[in-house]
Amino acid sequence: RTMGILPSWAWLLLPVCQALVVPREVTGQVGQLISFRCWYPRGYEGHSKYWCRGPSQDSCSKVVETAGWEVPQHQGRVSIQDNHIFCVVLLTLKNLSEEDAGSYWCGVDRPGWDLMAPVTVRVVPG
Protein backbone atom coordinates (compact mmCIF):
# COMPACT_ATOMS: atom_id res chain seq x y z
CA ARG A 1 0.00 0.00 0.00
CA THR A 2 1.52 3.31 -0.98
CA MET A 3 0.74 6.62 0.63
CA GLY A 4 0.18 9.40 -1.86
CA ILE A 5 1.06 12.99 -1.21
CA LEU A 6 -1.75 14.63 0.74
CA PRO A 7 -3.44 17.64 -0.83
CA SER A 8 -2.86 20.90 1.06
CA TRP A 9 -6.39 20.88 2.50
CA ALA A 10 -6.02 17.38 3.97
CA TRP A 11 -4.97 18.71 7.39
CA LEU A 12 -8.56 19.93 7.73
CA LEU A 13 -9.62 16.28 7.94
CA LEU A 14 -7.73 15.82 11.20
CA PRO A 15 -9.84 15.66 14.35
CA VAL A 16 -10.44 19.42 14.49
CA CYS A 17 -11.91 20.59 17.81
CA GLN A 18 -12.29 17.00 19.10
CA ALA A 19 -9.22 16.12 21.14
CA LEU A 20 -5.68 17.25 21.94
CA VAL A 21 -3.69 16.11 18.90
CA VAL A 22 -0.02 16.73 18.12
CA PRO A 23 2.56 15.14 15.83
CA ARG A 24 4.57 12.51 17.70
CA GLU A 25 7.84 13.79 16.30
CA VAL A 26 9.12 16.78 14.31
CA THR A 27 12.53 16.94 12.64
CA GLY A 28 14.36 20.06 11.49
CA GLN A 29 17.80 21.06 10.25
CA VAL A 30 20.22 23.26 12.17
CA GLY A 31 19.62 26.89 11.19
CA GLN A 32 16.18 26.20 9.71
CA LEU A 33 12.70 27.00 10.96
CA ILE A 34 10.26 24.32 12.09
CA SER A 35 6.63 24.71 12.94
CA PHE A 36 4.05 22.26 14.13
CA ARG A 37 0.40 22.30 15.12
CA CYS A 38 -1.47 21.24 18.22
CA TRP A 39 -5.25 20.77 17.90
CA TYR A 40 -7.41 21.11 21.02
CA PRO A 41 -11.05 20.32 21.88
CA ARG A 42 -13.89 22.81 21.29
CA GLY A 43 -14.66 24.83 24.42
CA TYR A 44 -11.04 25.76 25.22
CA GLU A 45 -10.75 28.64 22.73
CA GLY A 46 -10.44 31.31 25.45
CA HIS A 47 -8.02 29.30 27.59
CA SER A 48 -4.28 29.88 27.66
CA LYS A 49 -2.26 27.54 25.43
CA TYR A 50 1.43 26.99 25.94
CA TRP A 51 4.46 24.96 24.93
CA CYS A 52 6.71 23.71 27.64
CA ARG A 53 9.91 21.74 27.55
CA GLY A 54 11.02 18.85 29.74
CA PRO A 55 10.98 15.07 30.15
CA SER A 56 7.54 14.86 31.79
CA GLN A 57 4.30 16.82 32.20
CA ASP A 58 5.00 17.84 35.76
CA SER A 59 8.64 18.78 35.22
CA CYS A 60 8.44 20.90 32.10
CA SER A 61 9.03 24.64 31.98
CA LYS A 62 6.93 26.96 29.80
CA VAL A 63 8.68 28.22 26.67
CA VAL A 64 5.89 30.45 25.33
CA GLU A 65 2.20 31.07 26.12
CA THR A 66 -0.86 32.60 24.37
CA ALA A 67 -2.67 34.03 27.42
CA GLY A 68 -5.94 33.09 25.68
CA TRP A 69 -5.53 35.50 22.76
CA GLU A 70 -5.21 34.83 19.04
CA VAL A 71 -2.41 37.40 18.73
CA PRO A 72 0.98 35.72 18.08
CA GLN A 73 3.24 35.71 21.16
CA HIS A 74 7.02 35.68 20.80
CA GLN A 75 9.70 34.57 23.23
CA GLY A 76 13.14 34.80 21.66
CA ARG A 77 13.24 32.43 18.66
CA VAL A 78 9.93 30.80 19.59
CA SER A 79 6.44 31.98 18.69
CA ILE A 80 2.97 30.63 19.35
CA GLN A 81 -0.33 31.48 17.71
CA ASP A 82 -3.82 30.26 18.56
CA ASN A 83 -6.57 29.96 15.93
CA HIS A 84 -9.93 29.76 17.73
CA ILE A 85 -11.90 28.86 14.56
CA PHE A 86 -9.93 25.67 13.86
CA CYS A 87 -8.99 25.04 17.55
CA VAL A 88 -5.31 24.83 16.65
CA VAL A 89 -2.15 26.27 18.13
CA LEU A 90 0.88 26.82 15.88
CA LEU A 91 4.36 26.74 17.38
CA THR A 92 7.28 28.08 15.36
CA LEU A 93 10.94 27.68 16.30
CA LYS A 94 13.39 29.78 14.27
CA ASN A 95 17.11 29.30 13.67
CA LEU A 96 17.13 25.75 15.04
CA SER A 97 20.13 24.60 17.05
CA GLU A 98 21.09 21.16 18.38
CA GLU A 99 20.21 22.36 21.89
CA ASP A 100 16.57 22.68 20.77
CA ALA A 101 16.23 18.90 20.43
CA GLY A 102 14.21 17.15 23.12
CA SER A 103 10.73 16.72 24.59
CA TYR A 104 8.13 19.46 24.34
CA TRP A 105 4.52 19.52 25.49
CA CYS A 106 1.49 21.27 24.06
CA GLY A 107 -0.58 22.43 27.01
CA VAL A 108 -4.05 23.88 27.50
CA ASP A 109 -4.63 25.67 30.80
CA ARG A 110 -7.66 24.45 32.71
CA PRO A 111 -8.70 24.10 36.36
CA GLY A 112 -7.35 20.94 37.96
CA TRP A 113 -5.14 19.16 35.42
CA ASP A 114 -4.04 20.89 32.23
CA LEU A 115 -4.56 19.07 28.93
CA MET A 116 -1.07 18.11 27.71
CA ALA A 117 0.41 16.13 24.82
CA PRO A 118 4.10 15.40 24.05
CA VAL A 119 6.10 16.18 20.90
CA THR A 120 9.70 15.10 20.33
CA VAL A 121 11.85 17.57 18.41
CA ARG A 122 14.83 16.12 16.53
CA VAL A 123 17.54 18.29 15.04
CA VAL A 124 19.79 17.09 12.21
CA PRO A 125 22.96 18.82 10.96
CA GLY A 126 22.47 21.45 8.25
Side-chain angles (χ1 to χ4, degrees), residues 5-118:
I5 292 176
L6 289 171
S8 60
W9 49 263
W11 65 271
L12 288 170
L13 303 176
L14 285 165
V16 174
C17 303
Q18 296 295 313
L20 197 61
V21 179
V22 294
R24 192 164 295 161
E25 190 176 291
V26 181
T27 302
Q29 274 191 339
V30 170
Q32 305 253 296
L33 172 149
I34 57 167
S35 57
F36 43 99
R37 292 179 176 92
C38 170
W39 283 265
Y40 56 87
R42 174 75 66 213
Y44 290 100
E45 292 84 349
H47 292 238
S48 251
K49 319 299 183 310
Y50 59 87
W51 288 93
C52 68
R53 185 175 182 182
S56 69
Q57 286 180 242
D58 39 348
S59 70
C60 73
S61 52
K62 284 185 186 175
V63 179
V64 66
E65 186 169 11
T66 66
W69 307 313
E70 286 194 288
V71 183
Q73 301 296 312
H74 301 273
Q75 191 65 54
R77 297 177 295 117
V78 185
S79 68
I80 188 171
Q81 183 165 15
D82 190 0
N83 180 318
H84 293 170
I85 293 168
F86 291 111
C87 313
V88 65
V89 178
L90 179 70
L91 180 83
T92 304
L93 190 48
K94 292 190 294 202
N95 194 13
L96 215 52
S97 76
E98 288 178 17
E99 289 75 52
D100 293 322
S103 299
Y104 291 79
W105 297 78
C106 172
V108 178
D109 238 347
R110 67 172 182 176
W113 293 96
D114 288 358
L115 293 173
M116 294 178 82

